Amino acid sequence: MLLDSLKRYNVILASNSPRRRELLADLGIDFQVRTLNSIDESYPPSLPVMEIAEYISRKKAHAYIAEIHFGELVITADTVVILGDEVLGKPVDVDDARRMLRELSGKTHKVVTGVTIATTENLKSFSAVTDVEFAELSDEDINYYVENYKPLDKAGAYGIQEWIGCMGVRHINGSFYNVMGLPLHRLYTELNSLLQNA
């Protein structure tokens, strides 16, 4: 069983995201959080939008590889929201959050989470994609959400597990947890595969 195999590793979640911490804990994995300051999260402008999240997760992992020791396993992740060919990152302020939510209103967008699992011997990256369809959101809906929740720390300015997801998301195709920031089934499967081949 994966949880038994993981006992030989000190699992490190390299993320400041409270949602990722919650999700990894839900898998029953014992882990510690370790973060480095000022990791460069830039990417080449020519990189296809669907590859950005995985590219950044791998970039984060390479920053940690120099810091980890034998017997440690680090998980890095990055989530992007893609509407058409536009990447919606974290909004810079509440006006930017309102703009993003108006753009997402009544449309389907993609949420891509890139994940990298690294030890001193192995590195494995993958992406998960979820399609999310929003109903039409009124200005009142958007204002209520922006004023009562915390859209500024979320790609695309929303958390699907919050009020706006409950009332505004009409349909999703793919992993719900992926939209929250960590595709749990895929992560479990990839960890299992990595450790069986280690």
Side-chain angles (χ1 to χ4, degrees), residues 162-183:
E162 295 176 338
W163 178 83
I164 201 161
C166 298
M167 59 71 66
V169 171
R170 183 182 286 142
H171 180 75
I172 75 166
N173 182 24
S175 166
F176 174 85
Y177 299 112
N178 184 52
V179 186
M180 284 182 68
L182 211 53

Side-chain angles (χ1 to χ4, degrees), residues 21-68:
R21 294 177 195 187
E22 264 178 55
L23 291 171
L24 192 57
D26 286 345
L27 272 185
I29 294 172
D30 288 327
F31 66 93
Q32 63 178 141
V33 174
R34 195 183 299 172
T35 55
L36 298 174
N37 292 325
S38 55
I39 294 176
D40 175 20
E41 296 186 17
S42 63
Y43 53 87
S46 59
L47 191 68
V49 290
M50 297 298 288
E51 296 176 20
I52 290 170
E54 188 172 330
Y55 178 90
I56 295 173
S57 82
R58 201 161 42 243
K59 204 169 182 182
K60 290 177 180 177
H62 281 295
Y64 281 88
I65 286 171
E67 305 287 325
I68 63 173

Side-chain angles (χ1 to χ4, degrees), residues 3 12 15 22 28 45 49 53 57 70 75 79 94 98 132 141 165-166 176:
L3 298 180
I12 298 158
S15 176
E22 264 178 55
V49 290
S57 82
F70 182 78
I75 299 168
T79 301
V94 291
R98 288 188 181 96
V132 181
D141 294 332
C166 298
F176 174 85

Side-chain angles (χ1 to χ4, degrees), residues 136-186:
E136 295 287 343
L137 302 172
S138 68
D139 285 343
E140 289 81 4
D141 294 332
I142 290 169
N143 286 332
Y144 175 80
Y145 178 69
V146 168
E147 289 162 13
N148 290 280
Y149 293 85
K150 296 178 179 176
L152 300 187
D153 72 338
K154 298 173 181 73
Y158 78 94
I160 195 168
Q161 72 281 9
E162 295 176 338
W163 178 83
I164 201 161
C166 298
M167 59 71 66
V169 171
R170 183 182 286 142
H171 180 75
I172 75 166
N173 182 24
S175 166
F176 174 85
Y177 299 112
N178 184 52
V179 186
M180 284 182 68
L182 211 53
L184 293 183
H185 170 73
R186 182 75 186 276

